[in-house]
Amino acid sequence: MSVDIHKEKILVLDFGSQYTQLIARRVRECRVYCEIQPFNIRLEKIERFNPKGIILSGGPSSVYSEKAPNCSLDIFKLDIPILGICYGMQFMAHLLGGQVKGSSRGEYGQTKLRIDDFTDLFAGFENNTSIDVWMSHGDKIQTMPPGFTSIAHSENSPIAAIKDKESRVFGIQFHPEVAHTPRGMEILKNFLYHICKCLPNWTMESFIENSIDEIRREIKNKKVICALSGGVDSSVVAALLHRAIGDQLVCVFVNNGLLRKNEAEEVRAVFGRNYKMNLHYIDAENSFLQKLKGVTDPELKRKIIGNEFIYLFEKEAEDIGEVEYLAQGTLYPDVIESVSFKGPSATIKSHHNVGGLPEKMNLKLIEPLRELFKDEVRIAGSELGLPDEIINRQPFPGPGLAVRILGEITKERLSILREADAIVSKEIRKTAFYSRIWQSFAVLLPVKTVGVMGDERTYENVIALRVVQSLDGMTADWVKLPYELLGRLANRIINEVKGVNRVVYDISSKPPSTIEWE
Ligand code: XMP
């Protein structure tokens, strides 16, 4: 029997902090289910959601600024425990009749917090009256609202944590969710387990069990189609649906000829042979390359690839017949109506996703991962028995190697890039970098340079290496790989890949550059 993992829920109200999603992830790490909603969510919606506790996130504003986000006083009348973090605490204090003041001395970074009350939030801290916490604020609370007492202070904040025990409302000036507050998780657990009385029953096992029940209830005996790319998200969607409905799931894998070395074979082996999924493999290399012939404009490449994909996918769906649902790997960060700054990335390149498909094809959507963060998707994949190579895959753009070959795409240029990319992937996987970075890949440039190999003058291609660190792909920084590793990559590529006589390293961050070159 499946457990109702959604009975014990926490609501995180987003006041615009860059850490809001991190708060939600930490709560889930404590095995309590939680969701993020914008600060101005309507009260009835909160009541319907029926959380056992509410967390008010931080935010970049000052409570006195004109555009300061605020929510209704009524949430304090719901008789639900509340924890305000940073701006969340200042806003709460201000709203409930306390006084917040701008200060010439803010607190940014690591600070010592001195605990004055070892119950509730700080229960279990008696052995450590002063702890390291991460602060990031200019304003501070000067007078507490009626009914509140101060429970901790720091050098620059005489009131750094507050509580109103009777109404179970708490506030902390620091960020318990960040790694720089080493005992932050204990504070969150005190709030979740002892104050909100939540049970830690949000586990991946229970999530999968629940999802399977839900999927079966919804789909009944209908057919579902899923575009499988071999990336983490679509792979986990496919594995989950396959476990729930078996052969009612039809996966379509389109080999567009723009994939990495051995990628198509790997996907066929894992899903076709190991999982014995109903996998339709479409070899469309020729039709894609034909349509891309002579095309050098990056946006045009993306549009051609997107359209061709949709055309082939629709055709396949028609051939299969009687399909009612389209499965998609939408994740929780795509669903959150966040008030946080999202970055301009989405509008800079037309991303080739299957987003336009459901309306066009008149299919109902099924998105079984829409409650999960990326790291949770990986755990789900692991529970569902997917191999590590798939679970730990780096993101790979829909238009594939087409946007990593600058200039015209030909079979010969694809083969050069594929070989170079395979070396990068193999060498980086051997190091600890692979699991720590966002992406590492090769790019084929549209220039030739002079070199000398043996006694011969060469005039060959240049490969650029792109290795970046990022949290979500919205911003990124280049990775300072050790010279020795860079040297090994360059050596191997120049020696082993015919047609390359020079390797360069891309040291641009995003912004102003983007991660992919096109
Ligand atoms: P950019 O190049 O915009 O990339 O900095 C940000 C992240 O998105 C990936 N990317 C794509 N993913 N379809 C995708 O599914 C696309 O068309 C696409 N273009 C870029 C890129 O690899 C990076 O991780």
Side-chain angles (χ1 to χ4, degrees):
M1 216 190 64
S2 63
V3 217
D4 186 0
I5 52 172
H6 286 160
K7 230 164 69 186
E8 317 244 304
K9 290 173 294 196
I10 293 291
L11 176 65
V12 178
L13 288 189
D14 182 12
F15 286 87
S17 163
Q18 55 174 328
Y19 297 129
T20 304
Q21 291 197 19
L22 194 55
I23 298 174
R25 283 167 53 187
R26 293 284 181 250
V27 171
R28 290 183 184 194
E29 275 169 34
C30 297
R31 304 193 156 187
V32 176
Y33 181 70
C34 82
E35 286 189 12
I36 299 172
Q37 290 291 341
F39 62 88
N40 51 3
I41 179 182
R42 298 192 17 196
L43 196 69
E44 305 88 79
K45 239 178 133 181
I46 300 183
E47 284 173 316
R48 236 178 298 132
F49 183 67
N50 193 20
K52 289 194 84 172
I54 299 176
I55 297 179
L56 313 179
S57 87
S61 306
S62 156
V63 289
Y64 291 113
S65 87
E66 226 172 83
K67 289 194 183 130
N70 59 70
C71 65
S72 154
L73 191 61
D74 291 340
I75 67 162
F76 294 91
K77 298 180 186 149
L78 292 172
D79 195 27
I80 297 174
I82 293 179
L83 173 65
I85 295 176
C86 197
Y87 174 86
M89 153 157 126
Q90 292 173 2
F91 162 74
M92 183 173 100
H94 175 62
L95 190 72
L96 297 174
Q99 250 191 335
V100 177
K101 272 267 152 75
S103 149
S104 55
R105 288 173 69 189
E107 275 175 307
Y108 300 95
Q110 201 102 42
T111 308
K112 286 266 177 240
L113 182 84
R114 302 198 184 276
I115 300 169
D116 303 312
D117 175 340
F118 297 96
T119 61
D120 305 312
L121 284 185
F122 299 116
F125 282 68
E126 294 82 351
N127 58 351
N128 220 340
T129 55
S130 159
I131 57 168
D132 287 326
V133 297
W134 185 259
M135 297 263 203
S136 179
H137 66 113
D139 294 358
K140 55 186 171 198
I141 293 185
Q142 188 153 43
T143 324
M144 279 176 288
F148 278 79
T149 51
S150 168
I151 53 176
H153 67 278
S154 69
E155 202 183 323
N156 279 332
S157 303
I159 304 171
I162 56 174
K163 77 170 179 189
D164 176 350
K165 190 161 176 101
E166 196 140 315
S167 54
R168 298 180 296 164
V169 175
F170 298 80
I172 49 183
Q173 186 56 73
F174 58 92
H175 289 273
E177 69 276 18
V178 302
H180 304 285
T181 302
R183 298 191 67 181
M185 281 297 264
E186 289 170 66
I187 296 165
L188 280 178
K189 281 180 181 167
N190 277 341
F191 179 67
L192 299 172
Y193 302 158
H194 302 130
I195 297 167
C196 302
K197 311 253 182 285
C198 288
L199 291 173
N201 58 14
W202 160 256
T203 62
M204 204 36 76
E205 217 186 335
S206 58
F207 168 83
I208 290 174
E209 232 179 281
N210 250 48
S211 300
I212 288 175
D213 284 353
E214 263 173 47
I215 292 168
R216 285 182 181 151
R217 252 198 316 273
E218 156 117 34
I219 304 291
K220 302 200 175 71
N221 58 352
K222 304 283 184 341
K223 255 190 227 164
V224 181
I225 193 167
C226 172
L228 185 64
S229 70
V232 189
D233 305 341
S234 69
S235 299
V236 175
V237 167
L240 182 59
L241 278 163
H242 183 249
R243 180 157 312 169
I245 55 170
D247 268 359
Q248 283 165 252
L249 170 73
V250 185
C251 287
V252 177
F253 177 75
V254 178
N255 181 354
N256 55 12
L258 306 165
L259 304 174
R260 287 162 290 188
K261 194 174 178 181
N262 298 331
E263 200 166 0
E265 294 76 24
E266 228 177 71
V267 170
R268 288 178 94 174
V270 170
F271 296 96
R273 284 200 285 282
N274 297 3
Y275 274 84
K276 304 217 173 352
M277 274 186 202
N278 196 349
L279 177 68
H280 289 217
Y281 175 82
I282 306 179
D283 182 356
E285 181 178 7
N286 288 338
S287 73
F288 274 92
L289 294 191
Q290 189 63 37
K291 295 218 158 54
L292 287 167
K293 207 167 173 188
V295 177
T296 55
D297 177 70
E299 274 303 283
L300 193 55
K301 283 182 186 173
R302 283 173 178 271
K303 294 232 162 76
I304 290 171
I305 296 166
N307 289 340
E308 184 65 6
F309 179 84
I310 290 180
Y311 166 74
L312 288 172
F313 192 77
E314 276 183 323
K315 201 159 105 261
E316 192 64 23
E318 252 174 54
D319 289 351
I320 295 163
E322 290 169 29
V323 176
E324 254 187 54
Y325 287 88
L326 173 73
Q328 280 197 335
T330 314
L331 304 193
Y332 191 48
D334 309 323
V335 178
I336 302 169
E337 287 174 55
S338 178
V339 288
S340 317
F341 177 69
K342 270 230 153 152
S345 179
T347 52
I348 288 177
K349 296 174 186 176
S350 52
H351 278 202
H352 153 57
N353 290 319
V354 280
L357 275 174
E359 300 96 74
K360 260 192 106 176
M361 296 174 67
N362 211 8
L363 291 174
K364 286 186 226 156
L365 264 190
I366 177 132
E367 300 172 308
L369 309 183
R370 57 183 290 121
E371 284 176 357
L372 299 188
F373 288 108
K374 188 85 179 184
D375 41 354
E376 293 171 330
V377 172
R378 294 205 159 97
I379 301 171
S382 192
E383 295 259 341
L384 289 161
L386 285 173
D388 284 353
E389 303 89 78
I390 288 200
I391 289 167
N392 298 323
R393 261 209 180 143
Q394 295 176 352
F396 185 61
L401 300 182
V403 291
R404 295 180 182 171
I405 293 181
L406 279 63
E408 193 181 354
I409 300 154
T410 61
K411 275 198 174 173
E412 191 205 350
R413 289 171 67 73
L414 273 165
S415 153
I416 293 176
L417 181 59
R418 230 174 239 134
E419 293 305 319
D421 191 68
I423 293 174
V424 177
S425 170
K426 207 166 184 178
E427 286 296 331
I428 303 266
R429 272 177 194 268
K430 278 192 214 157
T431 69
F433 280 100
Y434 191 83
S435 54
R436 284 197 245 131
I437 58 178
W438 178 259
Q439 268 170 312
S440 47
F441 55 87
V443 180
L444 179 59
L445 305 191
V447 284
K448 287 196 165 185
T449 68
V450 172
V452 55
M453 278 188 185
D455 289 330
E456 295 277 321
R457 176 188 188 272
T458 59
Y459 187 53
E460 300 283 17
N461 293 288
V462 184
I463 285 284
L465 302 177
R466 184 73 166 139
V467 184
V468 293
Q469 178 54 291
S470 170
L471 279 177
D472 51 11
M474 295 295 177
T475 59
D477 201 5
W478 62 282
V479 177
K480 282 89 193 159
L481 286 185
Y483 287 156
E484 197 188 295
L485 177 56
L486 283 171
R488 196 158 57 243
L489 289 170
N491 259 342
R492 279 201 62 188
I493 292 172
I494 294 169
N495 287 334
E496 296 172 35
V497 183
K498 207 164 163 286
V500 177
N501 68 357
R502 196 174 293 270
V503 171
V504 294
Y505 193 47
D506 181 352
I507 54 167
S508 347
S509 57
K510 172 183 178 176
S513 301
T514 51
I515 297 177
E516 303 290 345
W517 278 44
E518 284 197 339

